[in-house]
Every structure is written in C-alpha cells, then in structure tokens.
C-alpha cells in the first residue's frame, strides 16, 4: 500500500554524513555527480548533459518531497529516494505500507562504505518515524556495488525479473529485495 511521505524537515546525522532535504543551493554539487557517465546508468537514468537537466530533477525532488541529499563535509555527494514500490501491487506484500529505496552516489565516493552508513540510519528512520511496514530495493544484475550494499543491509531476495528502462532504452535483468520491519 503506497503512502504519501514528506521528508522536508528530515535531518539524519551519521558519523560522517548528514542526510537532509534538498535545497536550491545543491544544484552545483548535484550537477557534478549527475553528469558523471556511469553514475545514473547504474540506477536507470541517463547521466545529465546540462545544468538544465539537473535543475529539472532538483525541482522534482523539491516538489515530491521524498528524496534526501547525502552531504559529506558540506558537499552533496548523492541522494536517497523513497518512491512507490513494486510491492504495492504484489499479492503477498500489497497490504504493507512500503516504499522503494533508491540511491545514488558520486563516483569519487564509491567503495568507502558511505552508502551503507547512510542507509543504516535511513532504514530505522523509515520504520520508526515514517511508520513503514517494509522497504524494497533492487539492482540491475551488473550493478555489483548496489548488490554489496543490499547484502550488508540484510534485505531478503524476492525475485529476478526483467526491467524495461525507458530512459536508457534498454531492458535489463533486475533483482528485487524486501526488508520487513
């Protein structure tokens, strides 16, 4: 069951990160990592080719209120989104209040444990503060970085499926996972 959430007043501190709602001032940092080839493609979107592309997505984040900026030493290096989940239409999980966890990180910060650290704080927040019953997530079969994060967070594998990725004009094998509160 999909529910509406609002992360505008959310601030989550970890040892190295601040997870917070986006601001207009984040455009330059967002543009920096969103234009890097291979970053968006791991998550199913084309890397941005202009600041206007990035501004359009930032405006969407500000409107929809379900994405957090990941800030490291005052620099935005990624994002975490809580979006509508495939589980909302699943016979087994459709009765649960569930969101899909999506995340992306600037390539310069990969393999430092930062995304795992961020999600280790976001997940309890989702269950305790947002009152979600479950979280889903997934990755393309070639995205081993996301697989490692999902494994560390102990999500339960549900299924492998195909995913038609319209922005990339390709179909990928996609692995789905769930974590129940």
């Amino acid at each position: 069951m999909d529910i509406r959430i609002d992360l505008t007043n959310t601030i989550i501190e970890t040892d190295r990160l601040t997870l917070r709602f986006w601001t207009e001032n984040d455009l330059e940092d967002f543009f920096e990592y969103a234009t890097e080839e291979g970053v968006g493609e791991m998550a199913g979107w084309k890397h941005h080719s202009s600041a206007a592309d990035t501004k359009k997505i930032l405006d969407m984040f500000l409107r929809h209120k379900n994405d957090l900026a990941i800030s490291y030493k005052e620099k935005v290096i990624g994002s975490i989104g809580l979006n509508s989940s495939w589980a909302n239409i699943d016979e087994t999980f459709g009765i649960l209040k569930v969101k899909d966890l999506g995340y992306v990180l600037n390539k310069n910060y990969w393999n430092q444990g930062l995304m795992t650290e961020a999600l280790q704080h976001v997940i309890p927040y989702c269950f305790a503060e947002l009152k979600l019953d479950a979280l889903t997530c997934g990755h393309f079969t070639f995205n081993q970085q996301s697989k490692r994060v999902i494994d560390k967070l102990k999500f339960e594998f549900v299924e492998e499926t195909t995913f038609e990725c319209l922005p990339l004009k390709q179909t990928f094998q996609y692995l789905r996972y769930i974590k129940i509160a």
Side-chain angles (χ1 to χ4, degrees):
M1 151 185 9
D2 201 11
I3 64 167
R4 187 169 175 79
I5 61 169
D6 183 340
L7 299 175
T8 52
N9 296 315
T10 302
I11 298 174
I12 301 171
E13 300 280 344
T14 77
D15 289 341
R16 300 180 286 174
L17 305 169
T18 301
L19 313 172
R20 58 161 177 80
F21 193 65
W22 288 87
T23 71
E24 294 281 346
N25 296 331
D26 297 326
L27 182 61
E28 187 176 318
D29 290 345
F30 184 17
F31 179 68
E32 179 183 320
Y33 76 79
T35 57
E36 184 72 32
E37 190 168 340
V39 172
E41 286 81 2
M42 292 294 239
W45 46 272
K46 288 174 63 171
H47 60 278
H48 298 180
S49 57
S50 70
D53 291 344
T54 305
K55 174 77 167 101
K56 190 164 99 173
I57 301 302
L58 179 59
D59 289 345
M60 182 188 71
F61 287 169
L62 295 171
R63 263 192 332 275
H64 292 174
K65 303 177 181 174
N66 59 344
D67 289 271
L68 294 173
I70 301 171
S71 179
Y72 178 72
K73 298 181 181 177
E74 306 300 319
K75 179 179 182 64
V76 173
I77 61 167
S79 67
I80 297 172
L82 296 169
N83 300 296
S84 184
S85 171
W86 55 265
N88 292 319
I89 58 170
D90 184 273
E91 282 183 23
T92 305
F93 305 116
I95 61 167
L96 301 174
K97 290 184 283 186
V98 61
K99 286 290 185 186
D100 192 71
L101 197 56
Y103 49 89
V104 66
L105 191 65
N106 182 317
K107 266 188 181 179
N108 296 327
Y109 298 90
W110 287 6
N111 301 312
Q112 297 178 35
L114 293 170
M115 188 56 73
T116 301
E117 180 179 322
L119 294 173
Q120 284 173 330
H121 287 78
V122 167
I123 291 167
Y125 177 84
C126 289
F127 294 146
E129 301 299 322
L130 300 178
K131 308 293 186 214
L132 296 179
D133 299 319
L135 287 165
T136 58
C137 62
H139 64 87
F140 300 134
T141 53
F142 61 83
N143 187 342
Q144 293 303 300
Q145 293 95 323
S146 281
K147 180 182 181 347
R148 283 193 302 275
V149 169
I150 291 166
D151 288 346
K152 288 176 189 174
L153 297 170
K154 304 204 182 314
F155 274 75
E156 180 184 331
F157 175 74
V158 176
E159 67 181 343
E160 182 171 337
T161 186
T162 56
F163 181 84
E164 186 179 349
C165 185
L166 298 177
L168 300 178
K169 298 179 180 150
Q170 288 182 279
T171 300
F172 297 103
Q173 289 305 110
Y174 189 78
L175 304 176
R176 291 179 172 172
Y177 300 82
I178 193 164
K179 183 184 254 322
I180 298 176

